[in-house]
Amino acid sequence: MKERIERLKKLTYIPQNEIAWLIEQAELCVKQQEIIEENKRQQEVTVHQFRQAQKDIQHLSGDRKRYKQALEKIITNLNFAITVAQNELEGDVK
């Protein structure tokens, strides 16, 4: 392709079929540029979505930790209440 372009630069008259080839190449370049720009845009969207997902995971991990701690406190309190109730029942039975 480079050789063909260099050869065309040296010509004073460019044949119609060569002009058609140049137009075709220019159109291909435009299409390729559009594809590259769309790919960049999609990449930016994907990066943004990935970063948002990371933030969501961090947030959910924090929520999970708080819920786990709260549940452990509830279980401890329930175990204490069960022990107290068992002791009271044993005291009533004696």
Side-chain angles (χ1 to χ4, degrees):
M1 185 162 146
K2 285 184 180 182
E3 297 84 19
R4 190 170 184 179
I5 291 171
E6 289 303 318
R7 185 176 58 79
L8 288 173
K9 284 181 182 178
K10 294 175 186 174
L11 296 176
T12 55
Y13 165 77
I14 300 176
Q16 189 65 33
N17 64 335
E18 296 295 344
I19 290 174
W21 179 81
L22 285 171
I23 292 170
E24 182 181 307
Q25 294 304 308
E27 289 171 345
L28 285 174
C29 286
V30 169
K31 287 179 185 177
Q32 288 174 342
Q33 189 61 37
E34 289 171 353
I35 290 169
I36 289 168
E37 288 173 7
E38 177 62 18
N39 287 343
K40 284 181 182 178
R41 191 187 72 73
Q42 288 294 332
Q43 185 178 19
E44 289 171 1
V45 168
T46 301
V47 167
H48 176 72
Q49 289 173 338
F50 178 76
R51 288 186 178 145
Q52 186 60 46
Q54 280 182 320
K55 288 178 185 177
D56 292 346
I57 289 168
Q58 289 173 348
H59 178 73
L60 292 171
S61 294
D63 286 349
R64 182 180 172 266
K65 184 178 180 181
R66 286 190 296 278
Y67 290 142
K68 183 179 177 184
Q69 290 171 346
L71 185 59
E72 287 171 350
K73 286 180 184 178
I74 291 170
I75 290 170
T76 300
N77 291 340
L78 285 173
N79 284 335
F80 178 75
I82 290 169
T83 302
V84 168
Q86 285 175 337
N87 289 340
E88 287 179 5
L89 283 175
E90 288 176 4
D92 287 344
V93 174
K94 293 183 183 180

